[in-house]
Amino acid sequence: METVIKQSGKTQVFKDKANKVMGISLEDAKLTKSYLSVAFLAILLGGILGLLQGLNRAGMLELPAWLNYYQVLTAHGLLLVVVLSAFFTIGYFYAGLSHTLGGLLPKVRKMAWIGFWMKVFGFVLAVIPILMNEASVMYTFYPPMAASPVFYIGLVFIVLGVWMCAFGSFINVASWRKKNPGQHIPILSFFATGVFVLLFFGSIPVAIEVFTIIPWAFGWVETINVMVARTLFWAFGHTLVNIWYLTAVSAWYVIVPKVIGGRRWNDLLTRIVVIALVIMNITGGFHHQIIDPGISEPVKYMHVFMSLAIGFPSLMTAYAMFAVFERTARKKGGRGLVGWYKKLPWGDVRFLAPFIAMAAFIPAGAGGIVQSTNQLNQVVHNTMWIVGHFHLTLGMSVVMTFFGLSYWLIPYVSKRVLTPQINKLGVIQTIIWTLGMIIMSGAMHWVGLLGSPRRTSYSTYFDNATALSWDPYLFFLAIGGTLLMIGVLMQVYAVFYLMFFAPKGNTEFPIAEVEEDEAPTPRWTERWGLWVVCMIVLVGMAYVIPLVDFIVNAPPGSPPYKTW
Amino acid sequence: MMKSPVYGLLLLLALILPPAANLLESIMITHMHMQMPLLVISGLFMAKFFQNRFPGFFSKWNENGVPGLLLFSIIMVYWSLPRTMDEALTLTSVEVFKFISLPFLAGVPLRDSWPKLSSFWKHALIIFFTILFLALGWLYIWSPVQLCNNYLVIEQITLGWGFISTAFAMVVYLIYSYFMDFSKYE
Ligand code: HEM
Ligand SMILES: [Cu+2]
């Protein structure tokens, strides 16, 4: 199998010559390697905890008193949702910035390192109270449940660490623009800019939330406004979800076409998708609060509309991807209405994993539309259906894309090559993961429809007949979880093998070119200041009315509760 | 080629329709921050029609764009007063004036002026509106009394925060354009 990908064509202009000949600089490589190592250690730990939960839910394992279900669940959520995704996203995009902008500025590299240690420090602070059973508040951590203040202080450091990386990327992009007047930001850095804009603006609400929680958790103030805190949390939580999605989308548009030997989708439309996702994202947060009290019906209705609007760029993406696949396959001699698919490189894990990830987004997106609909949300809210949904979106669409990226990104930063054996391992891993997720999330969706609640340790509710009827599905959940655990072990093995033991060699950073006859992209796509302003105005439209209502007409606040 | 004025006119007509107008005017913030900007936008779309029809008028009276800018600002300031909003709801003549003045005396001149203005004037306009919006936000939020007969105090406060968040967006834009010299990319 060929692991060295040939580069040619237009984007050459954008690249630093040295970068091409020698690959990534050792210092930039070290940064990305560190971020990715943490990411994959998080998936290892998180996977083990996930399996414990799965076995418990199936009634097959009783957790010991010193490590209860809710501790495990909090750690699983934080490890996978915050640590894995943040560290992978930053490691990947910093490698992308380094590659497409001709290396990171020394200042920026330093910022990314400070950010790294702030996040690690913050995470350690947050984990200590979880282990002590002082912070079993789940990764959503909003009031009225209150954890030890140390937990929230840890979160502050994580947010500050993320901001360091966001500003680092802005500085690097701005300096590149100064040196390359009149040129478009290279497409992968364009995606990175979008992602870091969202990371920064999306984490402002959660920073405000945490700063109001800390005095409350210390007991300096007695009560807190629960609705405001929840709303601020979801403005962030929802944005975070879409940040990983946008990260995965960047790979679909930019990397995958190169891996299959094709060209990428229209540059202008790609940039419009990024801009649309950046502008419209934050306001989606309310769809997590569809059955919250205290929000008037018209506001909820407006938010359903705002949420579904995000579906539009997603549909554009689906169209674009299949167009690229078909075009490439036909160029390679693919024939017939559907027969062209045979020409795609199914045996290459760098294609197979992200392809299945994209395919998984079809049912995952459909489920998302279901949940955004008021009446249907009432049926599935807080049931296992939701857990099934985000294992499909995150655990499949996003994480499998990350897996697929790791098979060239890690060799690229460690100056090694992907061997045929590891490629084969990757293909098998992809199949196991696919089966595991289909079984697990299928069972979760179904048992959720039958009423099984999420975030609940195993219980038969005094042998209630309905609760007993969930058991067969929960058993499937455990089978799927076991398969996934095998997948985790294979993936982590592949990652560290590629990082430290694979044969030395040169792996290229696969970035697809645009079609030759494409019209030049107009300049207005570069007006990030304007997009940010549009985003703020939209956020204002979405949040001013309900927030003022929550604050001015506030019910009595809530004291801190420890429910566990 | 002359499509955009038609769209502008359609938008204006849609906004005049009584159900649409009543809906948007029933909430203070959508009245001022949705209906009024949409009226201005309809004017932006229709401007081409007038520019083509009366080229002499625009080049004579709005040579460097500043007169149009002033007209736009006066109309906008007029419609940010609580009193005028109230009157639009009670006096039909004022309501009619709103549907005429915002598209034709604010939207059209803005469209004609903007390309003619130097970046000094463009920034001056944004700074002016940022300060105005901060002041209005302050007024609507901390006013001790109900300013409009037609809207409750809670709506007034909501509108105030709407002004503050719009001002914040403009501040972000100003900071951005201060650090990024966009002329290099045009
Ligand atoms: C070995 C693979 C995995 C297994 C067996 C697994 C299993 C589970 C189970 C059983 C739950 C608990 C459901 C409940 O009681 O509400 C859960 C929750 C969760 N999982 Fe996983 N999972 C795995 C991988 C992942 C991945 C890759 C992600 C995301 C990147 C993820 C994200 C989450 C989140 C966010 C929660 C919700 C936590 C909460 O409700 O507070 N999981 N998982
Ligand atoms: Cu969401």
Side-chain angles (χ1 to χ4, degrees), chain A residues 109-132:
Chain A
R109 202 182 304 120
K110 194 180 264 163
M111 288 173 76
W113 274 116
I114 297 174
F116 179 85
W117 289 113
M118 282 173 112
K119 284 189 290 269
V120 171
F121 175 69
F123 185 66
V124 171
L125 274 192
V127 160
I128 295 170
I130 296 178
L131 291 177
M132 291 163 59

Side-chain angles (χ1 to χ4, degrees), chain A residues 177 523 527 529 533 544 548 552, chain B residues 158 169 173 176 180 182 185:
Chain A
R177 295 221 315 196
R523 295 260 174 263
R527 305 210 66 162
V533 168
V544 165
V548 170
V552 178
Chain B
T158 308
Y173 185 79
Y176 174 84
M180 289 296 309
F182 215 83
Y185 303 94

